[in-house]
Amino acid sequence: DLHRTSQPSGSMLDSPASLRFGGSFVDEIEIAPLLRPLAAAVRVPGSKSITNRALLLAAMADGPSQIEGALFSDDTRYMLGALRQLGFMIAEDELRGGIGFEGRGGEIPAHDGDLFIGGAGTAMRFLAAFLTLGCGRFRLDGNARMRERPIGELVDALRRLGINARSEHGNDCPPIVIEPRGRDFEGGATIVDAHDSSQFASALLLPAPLWKKGLQLRVIGEAGRPFIDLTLRMMRQWGVESGVEGDSILVPGGQRYRAQKFAVEGDASSASYFAAAAALCGGSVRLENLHTNSIQGDLCFLGVLEQMGARLHWSEAGVEVHGGEHLRGVDLDLSAMPDMVPTLAILAPFAESATRIRNVGFIRHHESDRIHALARELRRMGARVLEFEDGLEIEPSQLRPAAIETYDDHRIAMSFAIAGLKLPGIRIRNPDCVSKTYPGFFVDLAALG
């Protein structure tokens, strides 16, 4: 499925299975269309969202935990690196997806740290609240794009709880400085506006059981609510309780997380690209390591594909996605599944009717301004697109070959690569950006055909 269009002299990649996207090996790749309907299976890598939450839960638990099926990607490596810098003992077995973690029961060994987390938004937000368990001075910084992504709502929520936290440049963006006071911090009641990111709420919830007074959290905005529910379900799996009172989430204080062996589910967001490939190209793809009882909200995207004409068949091995004869357009509020916007957007111009994506204005603050990036690159392919502040409308279109700018955004790269399975001449620039969440994406894509 892949053609290399640039690599340094002297390097040789013998087959798609040996492709490595790192350093300067490949600046651009071309996706070759499939010559026949799909008949493939993909073992979905571990969930990034679950892996990074599990790492913090293991750090806060009493004693040794073992995480199995973990994702090793840029985002999880930044989290691992930061936790090591904070003094935690961690053993990794990347080949088997295993991570051994010695929890400290709510103690952070280090008393200062300058933590760099690249473009890992989950690590930035979660660590900011996790550091309330420490004592000293900590600074969190990231790459150029991370320095543009808002975090003021989370900083304000921490300050209302009594934590000395601030945006270093006073612009409500990283770098941020946090000076917690250790055991003197009690927690309490606060409010957080989660319109920009549900991770602000999840960040506050994760350490809350270890605070003396726990947390009474009022969340404004429903965007990404399934990710907040995912956080609460994982907290219960690790031994703590929470509840709801009126419009607030209540987490009693003085609880302890229970060290354990924990298995990470396959990533529903990563699976969406291969499910979309079946819907677009016909045939079937079996997605392994996904189950109907998943705690991930993005699994609901499979239902969107059903609305568009695909068929699903669940078994103990996973789910098979079968493409239909035609794709139908849809009109959807995707605020609960924001990471699925690029996947749906790339299917839309191939559909028989228009597709409208609504209520996702906050994804303008993700790894790229995803609404604008999608509109621009779809138009580069010849698609007819209307861009709104909160989403997109995409009409059935006659498409043409194009070189796709990815804006260093993994989801832009992976979604447009799926279009290349149907449309000749799609080239993906900076393919290495997929290493943020799915380093093996292009190898798995090549295995489809």
Side-chain angles (χ1 to χ4, degrees):
D1 294 311
L2 310 180
H3 296 309
R4 299 181 300 279
T5 58
S6 103
Q7 67 181 51
S9 59
S11 70
M12 288 295 292
L13 300 177
D14 298 328
S15 69
S18 67
L19 286 172
R20 293 182 62 195
F21 293 85
S24 59
F25 275 169
V26 178
D27 299 318
E28 181 182 279
I29 60 172
E30 182 172 343
I31 313 296
L34 292 167
L35 301 178
R36 55 190 176 276
L38 285 163
V42 177
R43 183 162 183 82
V44 182
S47 163
K48 180 204 76 171
S49 297
I50 294 176
T51 298
N52 269 344
R53 285 167 171 79
L55 289 174
L56 279 185
L57 291 166
M60 292 186 286
D62 284 310
S65 290
Q66 181 68 29
I67 302 170
E68 299 179 342
L71 175 70
F72 286 88
S73 70
D74 288 354
D75 276 15
T76 58
R77 287 190 179 95
Y78 278 121
M79 180 70 90
L80 283 164
L83 290 171
R84 275 204 181 87
Q85 193 173 340
L86 292 173
F88 291 94
M89 301 295 293
I90 308 169
E92 300 172 31
D93 185 349
E94 185 166 346
L95 187 63
R96 294 179 175 82
I99 299 174
F101 210 115
E102 190 66 33
R104 299 293 293 264
E107 174 194 357
I108 294 179
H111 296 290
D112 62 77
D114 196 341
L115 309 176
F116 181 80
I117 50 76
T122 308
M124 171 64 72
R125 283 79 174 259
F126 288 6
L127 287 168
F130 172 71
L131 289 169
T132 59
L133 301 173
C135 183
R137 183 184 187 278
F138 303 91
R139 181 176 180 271
L140 282 164
D141 197 5
N143 61 18
R145 176 60 180 170
M146 182 58 66
R147 285 185 165 204
E148 297 174 348
R149 298 179 68 178
I151 198 170
E153 291 294 340
L154 177 56
V155 171
D156 288 346
L158 290 171
R159 292 176 67 177
R160 283 191 286 270
L161 287 168
I163 290 291
N164 185 359
R166 67 184 185 278
S167 168
E168 189 172 80
H169 300 311
N171 61 353
D172 289 337
C173 295
I176 59 173
V177 176
I178 300 169
E179 296 177 312
R181 54 181 188 268
R183 297 185 182 278
D184 290 338
F185 179 65
E186 295 184 336
T190 191
I191 185 172
V192 68
D193 188 332
H195 281 106
D196 285 336
S197 175
S198 64
Q199 291 175 5
F200 297 161
S202 290
L204 293 164
L205 292 168
L206 285 163
L210 307 183
W211 300 340
K212 290 180 181 178
K213 293 183 178 179
L215 176 66
Q216 179 179 342
L217 180 65
R218 182 181 169 212
V219 182
I220 300 175
E222 289 297 312
R225 180 70 197 205
F227 287 96
I228 299 174
D229 293 338
L230 182 151
T231 299
L232 292 169
R233 288 180 67 177
M234 287 188 66
M235 290 167 63
R236 285 195 293 274
Q237 288 174 333
W238 287 72
V240 306
E241 298 299 325
S242 62
V244 176
E245 184 176 288
D247 59 357
S248 295
I249 302 171
L250 299 181
V251 182
Q255 301 186 72
R256 311 296 285 180
Y257 282 117
R258 182 177 62 247
Q260 61 184 279
K261 180 183 285 188
F262 180 82
V264 176
E265 295 180 10
D267 195 306
S269 306
S270 296
S272 75
Y273 307 109
F274 299 101
L280 180 63
C281 301
S284 66
V285 172
R286 185 174 73 251
L287 302 170
E288 300 173 352
N289 201 24
L290 284 182
H291 304 284
T292 54
N293 62 351
S294 170
I295 62 175
Q296 299 173 76
D298 281 356
L299 197 69
C300 294
F301 185 72
L302 296 177
V304 174
L305 295 179
E306 281 190 301
Q307 293 181 51
M308 300 183 79
R311 291 175 291 112
L312 307 180
H313 175 71
W314 287 94
S315 68
E316 291 185 4
V319 59
E320 282 192 9
V321 183
H322 299 262
E325 292 185 8
H326 306 285
L327 280 174
R328 297 185 291 268
V330 291
D331 187 332
L332 295 172
D333 178 337
L334 281 191
S335 59
M337 293 185 285
D339 287 341
M340 298 296 92
V341 172
T343 321
L344 177 57
I346 203 59
L347 293 176
F350 296 96
E352 294 182 331
S353 56
T355 290
R356 178 72 160 92
I357 300 171
R358 303 178 185 272
N359 294 328
V360 291
F362 55 94
I363 70 173
R364 292 185 181 276
H365 304 294
H366 283 194
E367 284 82 347
S368 65
D369 177 343
R370 282 187 176 154
I371 293 176
H372 184 65
L374 286 165
R376 183 174 180 179
E377 299 312 307
L378 284 166
R379 289 178 185 134
R380 197 188 300 274
M381 292 168 50
R384 293 177 292 175
V385 182
L386 291 176
E387 178 182 345
F388 302 96
E389 185 59 33
D390 80 321
L392 298 161
E393 184 170 317
I394 306 161
E395 297 182 7
S397 307
Q398 289 293 116
L399 303 177
R400 58 176 179 261
I404 302 300
E405 296 291 348
T406 54
Y407 309 89
D408 201 27
D409 188 331
H410 56 132
R411 301 210 183 278
I412 299 294
M414 290 188 280
S415 58
F416 278 89
I418 298 307
L421 299 178
K422 185 78 169 180
L423 177 68
I426 295 298
R427 304 188 305 280
I428 306 296
R429 293 176 174 166
N430 183 28
D432 188 51
C433 67
V434 302
S435 63
K436 178 176 172 62
T437 54
Y438 196 163
F441 172 77
F442 285 106
V443 174
D444 287 349
L445 187 70
L448 290 183

